[in-house]
Amino acid sequence: MLHSISLPPGRYGGDEVQALFTNRLDASAHPYFEQLRGLQVSAHFYVRRTGELWQFVNCDDRAWHAGASSWRDRANCNDHSIGIELEGLEGERFEAAQ
């Protein structure tokens, strides 16, 4: 499953997404982060705007990227999908390197 993310929204290049995916995000570092306090989320892969690739979860393991979900009558997409997060915002263009 492809998703997009930037933290805070619209800011690129920091380490906040990596901190979120490793449960190290400091919720007091930015007002937006307060709503993420205690959130446990992960993805298998994260692709920076530069094309740099980070892997957080082994592809044989379950990540927590889809939330409550279903696709083609199968519930819990996290159980049977690979989560890929692109650094960016939905509705904006992504970089060719991604």
Side-chain angles (χ1 to χ4, degrees):
M1 300 186 77
L2 280 175
H3 304 270
S4 61
I5 188 171
S6 62
L7 291 176
R11 186 181 302 165
Y12 306 129
D15 66 353
E16 292 85 356
V17 173
Q18 294 93 320
L20 177 67
F21 290 162
T22 56
N23 298 315
R24 298 180 299 108
L25 183 66
D26 179 3
S28 65
H30 188 278
Y32 181 82
F33 299 162
E34 187 59 41
Q35 65 187 307
L36 304 176
R37 185 182 295 277
L39 181 67
Q40 294 184 325
V41 63
S42 59
H44 293 89
F45 297 99
Y46 174 52
V47 185
R48 303 291 302 253
R49 295 184 76 73
T50 61
E52 179 183 7
L53 178 67
W54 288 65
Q55 184 171 4
F56 292 96
V57 178
N58 185 298
C59 290
D60 292 329
D61 296 329
R62 185 182 203 273
W64 299 89
H65 54 89
S69 56
S70 66
W71 189 68
R72 294 189 176 178
D73 298 322
R74 290 182 74 181
N76 300 314
C77 290
N78 288 324
D79 292 344
H80 51 85
S81 64
I82 300 295
I84 302 169
E85 296 279 351
L86 301 176
E87 184 178 35
L89 289 175
E90 188 172 323
E92 288 189 5
R93 290 185 173 260
F94 293 96
E95 298 295 330
Q98 293 177 287

